[in-house]
Amino acid sequence: MKIFLNGKEKILSSNISSLKDFIEVILSNEKGKIIELNGKVIKKVDRDKISLKDGDRIELIQFMGGG
Amino acid sequence: MKRTEVTSRYDKHIKIGHIGPEGQKAMSSKRVVVIGCGALGTNIANLLARGGVGEILLVDRDIVELSNIHRQVLYSEKDIGNPKAETAARKLIEVNSDIKVNYLIKDVMSSNISGIVEGYDLIMDGTDNIPVRLLINDYSIKMGVPWIYGGVLGTGGMVMIITGEGPCLRCLIPELPEQGDVLTCETMGVLNTVPALTASVQVTEAFKVLMGKKPMKGLLQFDVWENDFSVHGFKKDPLCLCCGGKEFNYLDEDNEEQITVLCDESVQIILPGTSEADLSLIASSLMGIKNLKVNPFRLEFEAEGKNVTIFRDRRIIIRGTSDKGVARSLYSKYLGL
């Protein structure tokens, strides 16, 4: 499957079919990460329910809370 | 210095076409509140005061510590142990006697935010935790007062300008993260150039807002070490409970944590919510912290001469202080909440 990760094309291996798989395989650390799928921020509780499809656009944003 | 010298004071600003004499005059009649006087807050307040914003209110609950001085520009070694808000205000009055600088040594909470912020034209974020930002966000959207979020971590920074119509911070963070799910400067560190740069962008946008000009849209993200700068074209979530649904639950005092001083002079914080704390997740966010111990029932660590114990039922006990503000501040710094 081909997706766009932070604007760049990325080919996902066949063992990744859901957002949950993507998080487990691609993200080394989910802590503090905001995940946007096709322009919509995905709540943490919903991340396990979502399947990925060809052409999906994922944006990963590391939230910065220090001041 | 007399007001007749105002023109020469701001001469270099006035020469910039974007500002001019009208813009400078507009800023002199505006009132800005800076919440948090740490690294972002001191840089923000410094630039606002030098830039000629008419009235500035500084709000912070903390005292100056040695570890602050590498990045918190209004403090020097002799200020250690003094309240940050008062110290910063004193320095800024020396910088610019043409403006008014006030301070409050307080924790901003749902019960007092209206009384503190009412009547100000703009709220600047110098805070260090997510709950207070969500509180500011709710107030801002409800009352139509713009605020400028800034955040730092390691070598990275972020800025977003939030106005009444949205998008707002809750479009980005729809729910409060759990304990242990936030990275903080206490564990990740922060390069001292990052808050200076982040605050410079926040204040540039503040000048635009105060002059009635259009500020930047989207979420600015950067990593100054990697020289990587981008603006994320962030859009309003039509389902956002705050800027969409006008539900302001962070302003509700019932959703605030309960803080009490116990008989043994320790401080207990009970977080709102019902889910159990994930102690192993919290432990993973505190890697490298002194004397970190975790078992299935509780997590314990030492910081700044105090002992912090987190229980699964959302209770936190902080031993070594009986000051609620010190305890809350310590918890915010290490857990980012």
Side-chain angles (χ1 to χ4, degrees):
Chain A
M1 184 180 353
K2 183 174 78 179
I3 63 151
F4 294 89
L5 177 58
N6 291 343
K8 290 183 184 158
E9 197 176 295
K10 185 169 182 68
I11 306 294
L12 299 181
S13 53
S14 56
N15 60 335
I16 301 175
S17 61
S18 67
L19 196 57
K20 186 183 180 196
D21 298 336
F22 173 84
I23 290 164
E24 285 173 3
V25 177
I26 306 288
L27 286 187
S28 57
N29 188 352
E30 193 185 355
K31 217 178 276 291
K33 295 264 192 330
I34 294 160
I35 300 178
E36 202 184 72
L37 177 64
N38 300 325
K40 182 172 170 45
V41 173
I42 306 296
K43 287 184 184 177
K44 200 160 184 182
V45 291
D46 296 332
R47 289 179 187 177
D48 290 358
K49 306 170 194 163
I50 292 173
S51 300
L52 292 178
K53 59 182 189 309
D54 209 44
D56 274 346
R57 305 186 82 88
I58 297 176
E59 294 283 331
L60 293 178
I61 301 166
Q62 176 66 56
F63 185 76
M64 296 180 189
Chain B
M1 190 176 288
K2 290 176 186 166
R3 288 194 173 265
T4 49
E5 295 175 53
V6 165
T7 305
S8 66
R9 179 190 289 272
Y10 304 117
D11 182 49
K12 303 298 181 290
H13 255 187
I14 290 167
K15 282 180 173 156
I16 298 169
H18 296 298
I19 296 179
E22 297 81 13
Q24 193 63 49
K25 190 179 172 195
M27 282 196 279
S28 72
S29 66
K30 300 295 187 202
R31 306 173 79 217
V32 176
V33 55
V34 181
I35 301 182
C37 297
L40 285 178
T42 51
N43 278 286
I44 289 167
N46 184 43
L47 293 166
L48 290 174
R50 288 174 196 273
V53 171
E55 187 172 334
I56 301 168
L57 173 64
L58 306 175
V59 189
D60 196 288
R61 64 189 170 201
D62 277 342
I63 57 163
V64 179
E65 296 170 46
L66 179 63
S67 64
N68 301 149
I69 292 173
H70 102 294
R71 65 196 184 286
Q72 302 188 12
V73 292
L74 294 175
Y75 311 130
S76 49
E77 290 177 12
K78 67 180 168 53
D79 300 317
I80 291 170
N82 293 332
K84 287 184 176 179
E86 183 273 334
T87 307
R90 190 162 26 86
K91 301 282 171 74
L92 293 180
I93 289 164
E94 287 174 13
V95 165
N96 192 344
S97 58
D98 282 329
I99 64 166
K100 283 187 195 166
V101 183
N102 302 312
Y103 69 89
L104 277 176
I105 304 168
K106 265 193 197 302
D107 210 0
V108 174
M109 304 163 82
S110 54
S111 53
N112 66 12
I113 188 167
S114 293
I116 293 171
V117 173
E118 193 176 7
Y120 284 85
D121 298 294
L122 176 66
I123 306 166
M124 298 298 286
D125 174 23
T127 68
D128 64 357
N129 67 83
I130 296 176
V132 73
R133 289 188 172 102
L134 292 173
L135 173 66
I136 294 168
N137 188 71
D138 271 13
Y139 180 88
S140 162
I141 297 297
K142 184 178 180 187
M143 304 306 290
V145 180
W147 76 286
I148 300 183
Y149 154 70
V152 298
L153 185 71
T155 56
M158 278 184 161
V159 177
M160 184 163 84
I161 297 93
I162 293 142
T163 56
E165 63 265 27
C168 75
L169 193 66
R170 263 212 271 171
C171 297
L172 193 64
I173 310 173
E175 59 209 342
L176 189 63
E178 282 299 320
Q179 296 181 85
D181 203 16
V182 180
L183 298 173
T184 72
C185 294
E186 288 306 314
T187 51
M188 302 296 291
V190 61
L191 186 69
N192 71 356
T193 56
V194 171
L197 180 54
T198 307
S200 295
V201 176
Q202 284 177 278
V203 173
T204 304
E205 297 304 319
F207 289 157
K208 293 180 194 172
V209 170
L210 297 174
M211 290 189 293
K213 295 179 187 286
K214 283 196 174 167
M216 169 186 80
K217 283 188 176 174
L219 175 72
L220 171 71
Q221 307 174 82
F222 63 84
D223 185 312
V224 69
W225 198 266
E226 301 295 339
N227 197 24
D228 182 7
F229 292 76
S230 65
V231 177
H232 181 52
F234 181 60
K235 291 191 180 78
K236 176 173 175 164
D237 178 355
L239 299 176
C240 174
L241 291 177
C242 183
C243 67
K246 308 292 181 202
E247 284 181 25
F248 306 113
N249 51 319
Y250 292 96
L251 290 173
D252 184 348
E253 289 177 41
D254 292 340
N255 290 329
E256 202 157 74
E257 75 258 352
Q258 296 166 36
I259 309 181
T260 44
V261 180
L262 303 177
C263 303
D264 65 353
E265 301 277 287
S266 60
V267 176
Q268 175 178 268
I269 303 171
I270 301 176
L271 299 177
T274 52
S275 61
E276 285 202 337
D278 181 341
L279 299 181
S280 56
L281 180 69
I282 300 170
S284 70
S285 73
L286 292 168
M287 296 299 276
I289 295 294
K290 200 174 158 191
N291 292 335
L292 177 68
K293 295 175 209 161
V294 63
N295 67 34
F297 310 103
R298 65 183 194 178
L299 175 149
E300 202 174 322
F301 67 96
E302 283 177 23
E304 300 174 20
K306 294 160 194 74
N307 174 282
V308 181
T309 308
I310 301 174
F311 298 89
R312 278 168 42 189
D313 64 358
R314 308 178 76 81
R315 268 182 313 126
I316 300 121
I317 305 277
I318 298 172
R319 294 183 182 84
T321 181
S322 57
D323 184 315
K324 290 182 190 176
V326 169
R328 185 66 187 86
S329 174
L330 189 76
Y331 177 74
S332 290
K333 273 204 290 191
Y334 284 83
L335 277 300
L337 293 172

Tab-separated table of all heavy atoms in Angstrom, chain B residues 212-246:
chain	number	residue	atom	x	y	z
B	212	GLY	N	-4.112	45.050	14.612
B	212	GLY	CA	-5.288	44.769	13.792
B	212	GLY	C	-4.957	44.176	12.442
B	212	GLY	O	-5.777	44.211	11.521
B	213	LYS	N	-3.750	43.616	12.311
B	213	LYS	CA	-3.360	42.989	11.043
B	213	LYS	C	-3.583	41.482	11.134
B	213	LYS	O	-3.708	40.923	12.226
B	213	LYS	CB	-1.896	43.298	10.737
B	213	LYS	CG	-1.659	44.779	10.493
B	213	LYS	CD	-0.202	45.070	10.216
B	213	LYS	CE	0.080	46.554	10.129
B	213	LYS	NZ	-0.386	47.196	8.901
B	214	LYS	N	-3.599	40.824	9.977
B	214	LYS	CA	-3.880	39.386	9.962
B	214	LYS	C	-2.660	38.589	10.417
B	214	LYS	O	-1.575	38.734	9.847
B	214	LYS	CB	-4.266	38.946	8.552
B	214	LYS	CG	-5.682	39.335	8.203
B	214	LYS	CD	-6.191	38.585	7.010
B	214	LYS	CE	-7.672	38.919	6.817
B	214	LYS	NZ	-8.176	38.481	5.546
B	215	PRO	N	-2.834	37.711	11.410
B	215	PRO	CA	-1.700	36.883	11.837
B	215	PRO	C	-1.535	35.655	10.957
B	215	PRO	O	-2.362	35.386	10.082
B	215	PRO	CB	-2.093	36.485	13.264
B	215	PRO	CG	-3.587	36.476	13.251
B	215	PRO	CD	-4.028	37.495	12.234
B	216	MET	N	-0.459	34.911	11.229
B	216	MET	CA	-0.153	33.662	10.511
B	216	MET	C	-1.277	32.637	10.728
B	216	MET	O	-1.832	32.558	11.816
B	216	MET	CB	1.160	33.129	11.100
B	216	MET	CG	1.545	31.730	10.710
B	216	MET	SD	3.023	31.190	11.627
B	216	MET	CE	2.345	30.717	13.198
B	217	LYS	N	-1.566	31.867	9.691
B	217	LYS	CA	-2.526	30.773	9.842
B	217	LYS	C	-1.766	29.463	9.935
B	217	LYS	O	-0.685	29.332	9.363
B	217	LYS	CB	-3.465	30.730	8.638
B	217	LYS	CG	-4.535	31.794	8.697
B	217	LYS	CD	-5.551	31.590	7.605
B	217	LYS	CE	-6.664	32.614	7.762
B	217	LYS	NZ	-7.605	32.567	6.655
B	218	GLY	N	-2.344	28.491	10.593
B	218	GLY	CA	-1.732	27.171	10.665
B	218	GLY	C	-0.835	27.016	11.874
B	218	GLY	O	-0.788	27.876	12.753
B	219	LEU	N	-0.158	25.889	11.888
B	219	LEU	CA	0.695	25.522	13.026
B	219	LEU	C	2.151	25.539	12.563
B	219	LEU	O	2.548	24.725	11.716
B	219	LEU	CB	0.304	24.114	13.493
B	219	LEU	CG	1.137	23.485	14.599
B	219	LEU	CD1	0.876	24.157	15.941
B	219	LEU	CD2	0.837	21.992	14.710
B	220	LEU	N	2.924	26.481	13.086
B	220	LEU	CA	4.357	26.525	12.758
B	220	LEU	C	5.078	25.478	13.595
B	220	LEU	O	4.907	25.421	14.807
B	220	LEU	CB	4.938	27.904	13.062
B	220	LEU	CG	6.472	28.001	12.961
B	220	LEU	CD1	6.938	27.931	11.508
B	220	LEU	CD2	6.996	29.270	13.618
B	221	GLN	N	5.855	24.632	12.914
B	221	GLN	CA	6.660	23.634	13.626
B	221	GLN	C	8.096	23.805	13.170
B	221	GLN	O	8.337	23.995	11.979
B	221	GLN	CB	6.258	22.215	13.239
B	221	GLN	CG	4.809	21.874	13.368
B	221	GLN	CD	4.532	20.483	12.809
B	221	GLN	OE1	4.732	19.503	13.477
B	221	GLN	NE2	4.088	20.413	11.573
B	222	PHE	N	9.021	23.701	14.086
B	222	PHE	CA	10.415	23.736	13.648
B	222	PHE	C	11.305	22.923	14.565
B	222	PHE	O	10.984	22.677	15.726
B	222	PHE	CB	10.933	25.182	13.531
B	222	PHE	CG	10.962	25.947	14.815
B	222	PHE	CD1	12.033	25.831	15.685
B	222	PHE	CD2	9.912	26.787	15.153
B	222	PHE	CE1	12.067	26.539	16.871
B	222	PHE	CE2	9.934	27.494	16.336
B	222	PHE	CZ	11.014	27.373	17.206
B	223	ASP	N	12.416	22.487	13.958
B	223	ASP	CA	13.508	21.897	14.726
B	223	ASP	C	14.729	22.716	14.362
B	223	ASP	O	15.239	22.631	13.241
B	223	ASP	CB	13.701	20.420	14.364
B	223	ASP	CG	14.758	19.786	15.254
B	223	ASP	OD1	15.841	20.390	15.398
B	223	ASP	OD2	14.514	18.706	15.809
B	224	VAL	N	15.158	23.540	15.290
B	224	VAL	CA	16.222	24.503	14.971
B	224	VAL	C	17.555	23.792	14.743
B	224	VAL	O	18.395	24.252	13.960
B	224	VAL	CB	16.293	25.590	16.077
B	224	VAL	CG1	16.809	25.054	17.389
B	224	VAL	CG2	17.109	26.774	15.628
B	225	TRP	N	17.746	22.643	15.373
B	225	TRP	CA	19.007	21.908	15.196
B	225	TRP	C	19.101	21.331	13.781
B	225	TRP	O	20.149	21.324	13.160
B	225	TRP	CB	19.090	20.774	16.228
B	225	TRP	CG	20.465	20.257	16.423
B	225	TRP	CD1	21.029	19.181	15.793
B	225	TRP	CD2	21.473	20.804	17.280
B	225	TRP	NE1	22.314	19.017	16.214
B	225	TRP	CE2	22.619	19.996	17.132
B	225	TRP	CE3	21.522	21.884	18.158
B	225	TRP	CZ2	23.797	20.242	17.836
B	225	TRP	CZ3	22.694	22.128	18.848
B	225	TRP	CH2	23.808	21.316	18.685
B	226	GLU	N	17.947	20.829	13.297
B	226	GLU	CA	17.890	20.224	11.967
B	226	GLU	C	17.629	21.270	10.875
B	226	GLU	O	17.563	20.923	9.687
B	226	GLU	CB	16.773	19.168	11.901
B	226	GLU	CG	16.912	18.030	12.904
B	226	GLU	CD	18.141	17.163	12.645
B	226	GLU	OE1	18.653	17.170	11.506
B	226	GLU	OE2	18.603	16.515	13.595
B	227	ASN	N	17.450	22.530	11.285
B	227	ASN	CA	17.107	23.600	10.345
B	227	ASN	C	15.865	23.242	9.524
B	227	ASN	O	15.813	23.444	8.308
B	227	ASN	CB	18.303	23.914	9.430
B	227	ASN	CG	18.161	25.259	8.746
B	227	ASN	OD1	17.458	26.130	9.238
B	227	ASN	ND2	18.796	25.411	7.599
B	228	ASP	N	14.885	22.688	10.200
B	228	ASP	CA	13.661	22.218	9.550
B	228	ASP	C	12.487	23.081	10.039
B	228	ASP	O	12.105	23.027	11.206
B	228	ASP	CB	13.461	20.736	9.953
B	228	ASP	CG	12.244	20.123	9.301
B	228	ASP	OD1	11.623	20.781	8.445
B	228	ASP	OD2	11.913	18.976	9.652
B	229	PHE	N	11.951	23.892	9.140
B	229	PHE	CA	10.850	24.788	9.491
B	229	PHE	C	9.670	24.521	8.555
B	229	PHE	O	9.868	24.426	7.348
B	229	PHE	CB	11.259	26.265	9.326
B	229	PHE	CG	12.304	26.729	10.310
B	229	PHE	CD1	13.640	26.367	10.163
B	229	PHE	CD2	11.959	27.543	11.381
B	229	PHE	CE1	14.604	26.791	11.067
B	229	PHE	CE2	12.921	27.977	12.283
B	229	PHE	CZ	14.238	27.597	12.135
B	230	SER	N	8.465	24.399	9.096
B	230	SER	CA	7.296	24.214	8.226
B	230	SER	C	6.048	24.755	8.904
B	230	SER	O	5.973	24.843	10.132
B	230	SER	CB	7.099	22.732	7.895
B	230	SER	OG	6.787	22.013	9.065
B	231	VAL	N	5.073	25.124	8.066
B	231	VAL	CA	3.762	25.526	8.603
B	231	VAL	C	2.761	24.473	8.164
B	231	VAL	O	2.607	24.211	6.969
B	231	VAL	CB	3.330	26.926	8.110
B	231	VAL	CG1	1.929	27.258	8.632
B	231	VAL	CG2	4.313	27.987	8.566
B	232	HIS	N	2.149	23.837	9.136
B	232	HIS	CA	1.160	22.810	8.846
B	232	HIS	C	-0.176	23.513	8.602
B	232	HIS	O	-0.665	24.239	9.453
B	232	HIS	CB	1.072	21.862	10.048
B	232	HIS	CG	0.097	20.751	9.875
B	232	HIS	ND1	0.098	19.913	8.785
B	232	HIS	CD2	-0.922	20.348	10.657
B	232	HIS	CE1	-0.870	19.040	8.915
B	232	HIS	NE2	-1.503	19.278	10.037
B	233	GLY	N	-0.739	23.304	7.438
B	233	GLY	CA	-2.002	23.960	7.069
B	233	GLY	C	-3.167	23.376	7.835
B	233	GLY	O	-4.017	22.668	7.297
B	234	PHE	N	-3.177	23.692	9.080
B	234	PHE	CA	-4.096	23.067	10.022
B	234	PHE	C	-5.487	23.708	9.924
B	234	PHE	O	-5.609	24.925	9.932
B	234	PHE	CB	-3.479	23.272	11.397
B	234	PHE	CG	-4.232	22.701	12.519
B	234	PHE	CD1	-4.491	21.350	12.576
B	234	PHE	CD2	-4.675	23.513	13.539
B	234	PHE	CE1	-5.196	20.828	13.632
B	234	PHE	CE2	-5.362	23.000	14.588
B	234	PHE	CZ	-5.628	21.645	14.643
B	235	LYS	N	-6.517	22.864	9.799
B	235	LYS	CA	-7.874	23.406	9.607
B	235	LYS	C	-8.758	23.150	10.828
B	235	LYS	O	-8.515	22.236	11.601
B	235	LYS	CB	-8.523	22.745	8.389
B	235	LYS	CG	-7.879	23.148	7.081
B	235	LYS	CD	-8.735	22.688	5.907
B	235	LYS	CE	-8.102	23.097	4.596
B	235	LYS	NZ	-7.000	22.216	4.213
B	236	LYS	N	-9.796	23.953	10.922
B	236	LYS	CA	-10.765	23.796	12.006
B	236	LYS	C	-11.485	22.454	11.866
B	236	LYS	O	-11.898	22.089	10.760
B	236	LYS	CB	-11.768	24.958	11.920
B	236	LYS	CG	-12.899	24.879	12.912
B	236	LYS	CD	-13.719	26.154	12.857
B	236	LYS	CE	-14.931	26.025	13.760
B	236	LYS	NZ	-15.544	27.315	14.056
B	237	ASP	N	-11.615	21.738	12.988
B	237	ASP	CA	-12.373	20.491	12.980
B	237	ASP	C	-13.842	20.859	13.202
B	237	ASP	O	-14.200	21.379	14.263
B	237	ASP	CB	-11.870	19.584	14.123
B	237	ASP	CG	-12.647	18.288	14.215
B	237	ASP	OD1	-13.627	18.116	13.465
B	237	ASP	OD2	-12.275	17.447	15.044
B	238	PRO	N	-14.714	20.597	12.212
B	238	PRO	CA	-16.121	20.986	12.386
B	238	PRO	C	-16.779	20.301	13.580
B	238	PRO	O	-17.791	20.774	14.096
B	238	PRO	CB	-16.780	20.568	11.073
B	238	PRO	CG	-15.798	19.708	10.364
B	238	PRO	CD	-14.443	19.960	10.927
B	239	LEU	N	-16.189	19.173	14.022
B	239	LEU	CA	-16.752	18.460	15.171
B	239	LEU	C	-16.078	18.847	16.491
B	239	LEU	O	-16.350	18.238	17.535
B	239	LEU	CB	-16.628	16.942	14.963
B	239	LEU	CG	-17.355	16.382	13.735
B	239	LEU	CD1	-17.079	14.897	13.583
B	239	LEU	CD2	-18.850	16.631	13.839
B	240	CYS	N	-15.182	19.832	16.453
B	240	CYS	CA	-14.481	20.241	17.676
B	240	CYS	C	-15.504	20.705	18.723
B	240	CYS	O	-16.364	21.547	18.446
B	240	CYS	CB	-13.499	21.378	17.377
B	240	CYS	SG	-12.739	22.053	18.868
B	241	LEU	N	-15.391	20.136	19.923
B	241	LEU	CA	-16.355	20.474	20.981
B	241	LEU	C	-16.220	21.920	21.424
B	241	LEU	O	-17.188	22.534	21.851
B	241	LEU	CB	-16.156	19.545	22.189
B	241	LEU	CG	-16.548	18.086	21.975
B	241	LEU	CD1	-16.223	17.275	23.221
B	241	LEU	CD2	-18.025	17.958	21.623
B	242	CYS	N	-15.010	22.471	21.303
B	242	CYS	CA	-14.779	23.835	21.797
B	242	CYS	C	-15.168	24.884	20.749
B	242	CYS	O	-16.193	25.544	20.891
B	242	CYS	CB	-13.321	23.978	22.227
B	242	CYS	SG	-12.942	25.574	22.935
B	243	CYS	N	-14.383	25.010	19.670
B	243	CYS	CA	-14.680	26.092	18.716
B	243	CYS	C	-15.863	25.755	17.815
B	243	CYS	O	-16.471	26.652	17.225
B	243	CYS	CB	-13.440	26.490	17.913
B	243	CYS	SG	-12.812	25.250	16.786
B	244	GLY	N	-16.220	24.453	17.716
B	244	GLY	CA	-17.393	24.057	16.938
B	244	GLY	C	-18.635	24.005	17.819
B	244	GLY	O	-19.621	24.687	17.576
B	245	GLY	N	-18.559	23.192	18.881
B	245	GLY	CA	-19.736	22.943	19.722
B	245	GLY	C	-19.937	23.934	20.849
B	245	GLY	O	-20.962	23.897	21.532
B	246	LYS	N	-18.957	24.824	21.048
B	246	LYS	CA	-19.035	25.831	22.138
B	246	LYS	C	-19.279	25.182	23.509
B	246	LYS	O	-20.047	25.683	24.328
B	246	LYS	CB	-20.131	26.884	21.857
B	246	LYS	CG	-20.041	27.539	20.492
B	246	LYS	CD	-18.829	28.419	20.345
B	246	LYS	CE	-18.767	29.091	18.984
B	246	LYS	NZ	-17.434	29.533	18.598
